Amino acid sequence: MTLDYERDPAAIYRQSFATIAAEADLSALPEAARPMAIRLIHACGMVDIATDLRVSEGAVEAGQAALARLGSETKGGGYPARAPGGAADLSDPKHSTNQDLRILPIFCDSEMVARGIIARALPGGATPIVTLNDPAVPDLAKRRGTTRSAAATELWRERLAGSIVAIGNAPTALFHLLEGLEQGWPRPALILGFPVGFVGAAESKQALAERPHGVPFVTLLGRRGGSAMAAAAVNALTLGLRGDGT
Amino acid sequence: MTLDYERDPAAIYRQSFATIAAEADLSALPEAARPMAIRLIHACGMVDIATDLRVSEGAVEAGQAALARLGSETKGGGYPARAPGGAADLSDPKHSTNQDLRILPIFCDSEMVARGIIARALPGGATPIVTLNDPAVPDLAKRRGTTRSAAATELWRERLAGSIVAIGNAPTALFHLLEGLEQGWPRPALILGFPVGFVGAAESKQALAERPHGVPFVTLLGRRGGSAMAAAAVNALTLGLRGDGT
C-alpha cells in the first residue's frame, strides 16, 4: 500500500497558504500583517484565529525594521556566547550598552519558541535568547514571589531596547514584562504576545492590547496561543510567505 | 500599577487543571487517558479538542509500560551520544539491537517537540531523538522524492521496536512511518500523532486511527495539533497531572 499524499515541500507550503487565503477572513487586518496572520494560522491549523488577532499600527513594520537595521550593521560583529542554560551571556562587556546595533536579541520565554524560529532566515547577529534556565532565575523567582518564567524576563531588561520579544508559553512572563514597562524598563521594538492556557493567558494578552506602553505588538486574544505561534510570528518577519523546505 | 494575577506556579497548574476538568467532557475517553487529555487541553487552551481525541485501547498504559521497563534496567546503562544535528548516534555498536532495554528513544519529528518534553521527568536512558537535521536526511529526501521530515523517520527504523514516537509537526512524517509499518518496520510501543495544518494533517491522523498496524496510538483528528501537544502527551506519561514548576 502506498498512501496518496503530497510529498513536495514547496507544494505543501503553497497549498497550505492557498487554503488559508481562501478560508480565512483577514480583511480586518492591516495589509502588512496578513502574511504573518497566514503563518500563524498555518502553525495552529485554525483559520478562525484571525478574528482574535490584534495588531497595533505598524507593528509588523517595526519588527522588520529592527531586523533590517541590524542587517546593515552586523558585518564582523559578534553576539553574546550562549551559556549552558541557553541564555546569552548578558554580562559580556562588549555588549553592555543598548545602543549596540550589532546584535538583536529575540527574547523568548521558552526553549520551544526559540527552537521554532528558523535560524537561517535571521540576519547575522539576531539571536533567540532564552533566560528561563539561567542559574540566577530560581532564586530571583523566589525573591519576587513569582514564577521562573516571570523572573526570567528581568534578565532581558538590560538589552530590551529595540529587541523583539516572543512569548508563547507563560502568561506570567507577559504580565511581568508589562509591569516592567510600567516601571520604565527600556522598550522593545515589538512584542509578539502568544501565551496560552487557562490562567492568565487571556488576561495578559488583553492587558497588552489595552496598555502596550507605546510598544508595537501582535497578540491573539483569548486562551489560544502557544510556542509554535510565537515562533511563526518571528518567522513571518523574516520569511513572509516563503517556505523553509522541511 | 501592579497587575492582579496568579504568580504561584503550583496554583497556576491547579487552577488550570481544575478549569479544564470543569469545562471539558472527557467521558468518552478511557480513564487512563484523561490526565493526558487534560495536559493536551492545557497545552493548547481549547477544551473542545476532547471530541477529536482518539486513544486506542491501552495506549497510555503501553507508553507508561515502555518507560517503566526502562526504569528498571537503566542503572549504569548509557544511551547514544548526541551528534551535532541533535540526533543520537544510532550506529553506536553498543546499541545495535532493538532488545537493548537500557535506552528508550522518544522519536520526535521536530526540535520543538523534543524541547517541550520535560527531560528531568524522564527515567534515565529515555531520550528525545530528532533526526530531522541529520546530515544524511537531505539526500535521502531527494532519493525518496519526499520531505526531509518524512525521510528523517527512516533513521528511526533500527531502534523503532518498543520506542515512543511523538509527531507534532509534519503530516508527511506520520504518513511515511505508517508506510514503513505497512512494509514491516519494527513496531513502536506507542505513537503520539499530532501533526498540524492544512495539507495532510487530518488525513495522516485519520490513516493512523483507521489502520495503526497494531501499534497503540493517541491522536487528534482534524487540522489541529502541534509540537506543544505532542510534547504534552509525552509529559503526561511521566508526570500525569503533576506540575513542573516553571
Side-chain angles (χ1 to χ4, degrees):
Chain A
M1 178 187 72
T2 301
L3 294 163
D4 179 27
Y5 61 95
E6 183 58 65
R7 291 164 168 80
D8 173 37
I12 291 170
Y13 260 100
R14 211 164 42 235
Q15 286 178 32
S16 294
F17 291 158
T19 302
I20 295 166
E23 291 188 22
D25 179 5
L26 307 179
S27 58
L29 295 169
E31 190 91 34
R34 292 180 194 173
M36 186 182 284
I38 291 175
R39 275 199 108 94
L40 289 166
I41 291 168
H42 180 242
C44 68
M46 299 178 283
V47 296
D48 70 299
I49 63 162
T51 318
D52 296 330
L53 269 180
R54 295 294 179 274
V55 182
S56 72
E57 203 183 312
V60 171
E61 295 89 334
Q64 286 169 334
L67 289 160
R69 236 183 349 257
L70 179 76
S72 63
E73 302 273 348
T74 51
K75 299 294 177 259
Y79 54 87
R82 288 173 75 88
D89 179 4
L90 300 180
S91 62
D92 181 337
K94 286 202 305 299
H95 305 289
S96 61
T97 74
N98 288 319
Q99 284 68 44
D100 186 346
L101 293 179
R102 294 172 305 169
I103 72 159
L104 178 76
I106 303 173
F107 290 115
C108 307
D109 70 327
S110 77
E111 287 284 349
M112 284 188 83
V113 175
R115 284 291 167 149
I117 294 172
I118 299 168
R120 63 186 174 282
L122 295 171
T127 184
I129 292 178
V130 184
T131 55
L132 181 63
N133 298 310
D134 188 285
V137 165
D139 271 0
L140 196 54
K142 255 182 224 162
R143 285 208 306 279
R144 298 281 190 277
T146 189
T147 64
R148 290 201 295 117
S149 295
T153 68
E154 300 206 6
L155 303 185
W156 304 352
R157 180 173 178 174
E158 196 194 342
R159 300 212 52 82
L160 206 49
S163 70
I164 294 174
V165 170
I167 296 179
N169 183 36
T172 54
L174 180 52
F175 272 130
H176 203 78
L177 174 63
L178 292 174
E179 289 176 326
L181 293 171
E182 171 81 19
Q183 291 158 22
W185 287 12
R187 288 182 185 168
L190 176 63
I191 296 175
L192 302 165
F194 295 90
V196 61
F198 295 85
V199 177
E203 295 82 354
S204 65
K205 292 179 286 187
Q206 190 73 41
L208 170 64
E210 284 175 5
R211 199 176 159 84
H213 301 283
V215 181
F217 67 87
V218 181
T219 194
L220 182 69
L221 300 182
R223 291 170 169 179
R224 295 185 292 184
S227 46
M229 282 193 231
V234 175
N235 295 335
L237 295 175
T238 56
L239 286 169
L241 293 180
R242 281 176 292 136
D244 72 328
T246 52
Chain B
M1 175 189 75
T2 300
L3 294 163
D4 178 29
Y5 60 95
E6 182 59 63
R7 291 163 167 80
D8 172 37
I12 291 170
Y13 260 100
R14 210 164 43 232
Q15 286 178 32
S16 294
F17 291 158
T19 303
I20 295 166
E23 291 188 23
D25 179 5
L26 306 179
S27 58
L29 295 170
E31 191 89 35
R34 292 179 194 175
M36 185 181 285
I38 290 175
R39 275 198 107 94
L40 289 166
I41 291 168
H42 180 243
C44 68
M46 299 177 283
V47 296
D48 70 298
I49 62 163
T51 318
D52 296 330
L53 269 181
R54 295 294 179 274
V55 182
S56 73
E57 202 184 315
V60 171
E61 294 89 334
Q64 287 169 333
L67 289 160
R69 241 188 339 264
L70 180 75
S72 62
E73 301 275 348
T74 52
K75 301 292 177 256
Y79 54 86
R82 288 173 74 90
D89 179 4
L90 302 180
S91 62
D92 182 336
K94 287 202 306 295
H95 305 290
S96 62
T97 73
N98 288 318
Q99 283 69 45
D100 186 345
L101 293 179
R102 294 172 305 169
I103 73 159
L104 178 77
I106 303 174
F107 290 115
C108 307
D109 70 327
S110 77
E111 287 285 349
M112 285 188 84
V113 175
R115 283 293 165 147
I117 294 172
I118 299 168
R120 62 186 175 281
L122 294 171
T127 184
I129 292 177
V130 184
T131 55
L132 181 62
N133 299 310
D134 188 285
V137 164
D139 272 0
L140 195 56
K142 254 182 225 162
R143 285 208 306 278
R144 299 279 192 275
T146 190
T147 63
R148 291 202 293 118
S149 295
T153 66
E154 300 205 7
L155 303 185
W156 303 352
R157 179 173 177 174
E158 195 193 343
R159 300 210 54 82
L160 206 49
S163 70
I164 293 174
V165 170
I167 296 178
N169 182 35
T172 53
L174 180 52
F175 272 132
H176 203 79
L177 174 63
L178 292 174
E179 289 175 326
L181 293 172
E182 172 80 18
Q183 291 158 23
W185 287 12
R187 289 182 185 167
L190 175 64
I191 297 175
L192 302 165
F194 295 90
V196 61
F198 296 86
V199 176
E203 295 82 352
S204 64
K205 292 179 286 187
Q206 190 72 42
L208 171 63
E210 285 175 4
R211 199 175 158 85
H213 301 284
V215 181
F217 67 87
V218 181
T219 194
L220 182 69
L221 298 182
R223 291 169 168 180
R224 295 184 292 185
S227 45
M229 283 194 231
V234 175
N235 294 336
L237 295 175
T238 55
L239 286 170
L241 292 181
R242 281 177 293 137
D244 73 327
T246 52

